Amino acid sequence: MSSRRVIVVGGGAAGFFAAITCAEALPGAEVTILEKGPEFLAKVRISGGGRCNVTHACFDPREFATRFPRGERELIGPFQRFQARDTVAWFAARGVKLNAECDGRMFPLSNSSQTIIDCLVGAAEAAGVKLRAKSGVEEIVARASRPLRNGNEQQAGGTPTLLGGFDLSLSNGETLFSDRLLLATGGCRTAAAGQLAVSLGHTLEPPVPSLFTFNLAQPGDDPNEVGTDRRAVRTSTSAARPAACSRAVYGVAPYLCDLAGVSVESVEASVPGTELLERGALLVTHSGLSGPVILRLSAWGARVLHDRDYRFPLHLYWLPRLGPEEIATELQWRRSQQPARLVLNTPIPPLPARLWEQLVFAAGVKRDTRWGALTRSAQHNLLQQLIRTELPVTGKSLNKEEFVTCGGVRLSEVNFRTMQSRLCPGLYFAGELLDIDGLTGGFNFQAAWTTGWIAGSAMAA
């Protein structure tokens, strides 16, 4: 039996996983989760549209780590110890089977996040973890560590020490003591969210959003304000438009207003003047652009795009499986081999017909133009639309329920073998409070499970 007191601040995925791991590994320890909100695992409940994207079906730790714009190098070792396969086995051992979808995302067979919540809460209660909601922590004071003879606590410097522990002041005026303390308070959407870590000597990398969608220019916006060359989009604004586009919310490419809901299976998106370039599916929305390619671009470019105040030109290459010369050859072949067919009615696969129609209009091609009558100039304009549509991004929107940020506790200040602070003995971290963020698809939850498991194991040692 152990009299060790362990407190976990934060009742989310990482906090629960750490508390369960610690309590199961050290029976008799007093393990408590403090959650300032009225309910536990709130983000788990709404994630994945209420289905909970638990992890991703990628079982190579190094490959898995490449999905993290921040934290890739630091997470390789942790993923080698507890990876997606271990997460699948952990839930299966507790009666929850996960199913992998064709894109690799893994959900409970029930397709309900409540299944995951019930599993975690049940495992915590079974392990004796105390669950306290509406218990916000206002202040933490670390007691001084002192030398210990013949002790089993030892810090990186090699000096045996007795950890002093921590005094926690709660919002209700109560004071608690812990021998080990884990901060798992979630992403630092504001600097204030990380102040408990700062008060214990840690540095916060400035928080900025990650995983967001792009808003496009409103009517009357000046493209020059977002670095867009008006000449580059001249064909997009000068071509004839269907009358319905007068209600467009897009200033420079008004034809997109009629395409809300259209998806393209593979597009290459890039931000000129940067190294940002991604390929993947794209979705046109009522306010701009979304889909995996945009979310990945926003994740890898989180700081770069923040520095540009989310106002920048975006280039879209609509047929990335074909090179410019191959597209030009295809257009020329249609002129010579299909002269009687209407340009408007013969999209190049796999472009959706609605998108192709609007790109044809944007190139200045009239509705009744047949391939045999397409001028070389019009063919060139169409080629340019296909390989470099330029759109002015003027802002961002949250990706549904995803509240992912980059920024958080500086990674060099944490020992990723134990998730213990290098600055404050007895203090541990897990989850999105760290300057770690992954792409959409279950990667951020896996980082929570992994760092929580490592921290929980270390606090029980």
Side-chain angles (χ1 to χ4, degrees):
M1 300 291 288
S2 171
S3 60
R4 184 175 300 174
R5 295 181 179 179
V6 176
I7 290 181
V8 174
V9 182
F16 260 80
F17 219 69
I20 294 166
T21 301
C22 181
E24 290 181 343
L26 191 64
E30 184 180 313
V31 181
T32 303
I33 296 177
L34 302 178
E35 166 57 44
K36 71 176 182 179
E39 64 174 316
F40 298 101
L41 301 163
K43 187 171 180 179
V44 171
R45 183 179 302 280
I46 63 175
S47 70
R51 299 168 63 207
C52 189
N53 185 182
V54 177
T55 187
H56 197 93
C58 174
F59 306 116
D60 181 323
R62 287 185 176 273
E63 178 66 20
F64 202 100
T66 64
R67 273 48 170 207
F68 289 79
R70 278 136 310 259
E72 175 182 351
R73 180 176 60 84
E74 290 83 0
L75 286 172
I76 292 174
F79 285 150
Q80 289 173 337
R81 296 175 59 193
F82 193 94
Q83 57 142 300
R85 181 178 286 110
D86 299 304
T87 298
V88 174
W90 191 95
F91 280 101
R94 291 158 178 81
V96 177
K97 293 186 178 180
L98 305 181
N99 177 57
E101 299 194 343
C102 59
D103 60 1
R105 294 178 302 161
M106 301 194 74
F107 297 88
L109 287 179
S110 66
N111 276 323
S112 172
S113 60
Q114 190 62 47
T115 301
I116 302 301
I117 293 172
D118 291 344
C119 177
L120 292 171
V121 172
E125 292 176 340
V129 177
K130 296 180 179 179
L131 305 179
R132 296 186 53 177
K134 298 181 180 179
S135 297
V137 178
E138 298 292 326
E139 183 182 24
I140 301 173
V141 176
R143 296 184 182 182
S145 301
R146 61 184 184 273
L148 176 68
R149 296 179 181 177
N150 301 320
N152 59 7
E153 297 288 353
Q154 188 163 320
Q155 296 306 302
T159 303
T161 58
L162 178 64
L163 304 185
F166 304 87
D167 293 305
L168 288 74
S169 299
L170 306 190
S171 54
N172 63 2
E174 185 179 359
T175 299
L176 300 177
F177 171 78
S178 70
D179 299 293
R180 304 286 187 281
L181 176 65
L182 171 69
L183 295 184
T185 51
C188 294
R189 278 178 278 171
T190 64
Q195 284 309 301
L196 291 177
V198 172
S199 72
L200 294 170
H202 279 273
T203 306
L204 284 187
E205 301 292 354
V208 301
S210 180
L211 291 181
F212 48 85
T213 61
F214 294 170
N215 296 339
L216 297 181
Q218 305 294 315
D221 283 350
D222 182 357
N224 293 313
E225 291 183 5
V226 292
T228 302
D229 183 350
R230 189 180 293 274
R231 294 170 300 175
V233 294
R234 183 172 58 245
T235 57
S236 297
T237 57
S238 62
R241 304 280 180 251
C245 281
S246 62
R247 57 183 168 76
V249 298
Y250 303 96
V252 176
Y255 60 84
L256 287 176
C257 74
D258 283 343
L259 298 178
V262 167
S263 60
V264 187
E265 66 182 43
S266 182
V267 173
E268 186 176 276
S270 60
V271 178
T274 75
E275 297 182 356
L276 297 175
L277 185 150
E278 291 292 329
R279 182 180 293 189
L282 179 138
L283 174 67
V284 182
T285 71
H286 289 286
S287 60
L289 301 173
S290 185
V293 67
I294 299 299
L295 297 177
R296 287 200 293 269
L297 204 66
S298 74
W300 289 104
R303 295 202 179 280
V304 171
L305 302 183
H306 174 267
D307 290 344
R308 296 186 176 204
D309 196 27
Y310 307 106
R311 301 179 69 83
F312 54 89
L314 177 71
H315 287 176
L316 297 179
Y317 191 130
W318 295 102
L319 294 165
R321 65 182 178 83
L322 300 175
E325 293 183 0
E326 292 175 292
I327 298 176
T329 299
E330 175 68 18
L331 297 178
Q332 182 59 36
W333 182 87
R334 292 175 180 225
R335 287 182 66 200
S336 62
Q337 300 299 316
Q338 300 179 338
R341 299 194 65 179
L342 291 173
V343 175
L344 199 67
N345 294 343
T346 50
I348 299 177
L351 292 182
R354 289 170 59 194
L355 172 61
W356 170 262
E357 178 180 292
Q358 298 302 333
L359 291 173
V360 169
F361 288 146
V365 179
K366 295 182 179 180
R367 181 180 295 274
D368 59 356
T369 301
R370 301 183 185 276
W371 281 105
L374 187 69
T375 66
R376 291 188 179 277
S377 174
Q379 178 180 323
H380 174 76
N381 289 342
L382 181 54
L383 174 64
Q384 292 306 304
Q385 285 293 329
L386 292 170
I387 67 174
R388 205 195 86 163
T389 295
E390 182 168 318
L391 302 173
V393 176
T394 58
K396 60 173 177 57
S397 297
L398 284 177
N399 172 37
K400 297 181 182 179
E401 74 284 346
E402 298 285 355
F403 305 122
V404 178
T405 59
C406 76
V409 172
R410 183 170 292 171
L411 303 187
S412 61
E413 299 175 352
V414 179
N415 180 349
F416 275 75
R417 292 189 298 274
T418 61
M419 303 312 301
Q420 184 173 198
S421 165
R422 296 183 185 276
L423 308 178
C424 183
L427 173 65
Y428 297 78
F429 296 98
E432 292 181 9
L433 177 59
L434 295 158
D435 184 23
I436 288 174
D437 61 288
L439 304 179
T440 186
F443 298 100
N444 287 296
F445 266 131
Q446 184 58 52
W449 312 132
T450 295
T451 56
W453 183 85
I454 291 175
S457 300
M459 291 188 295

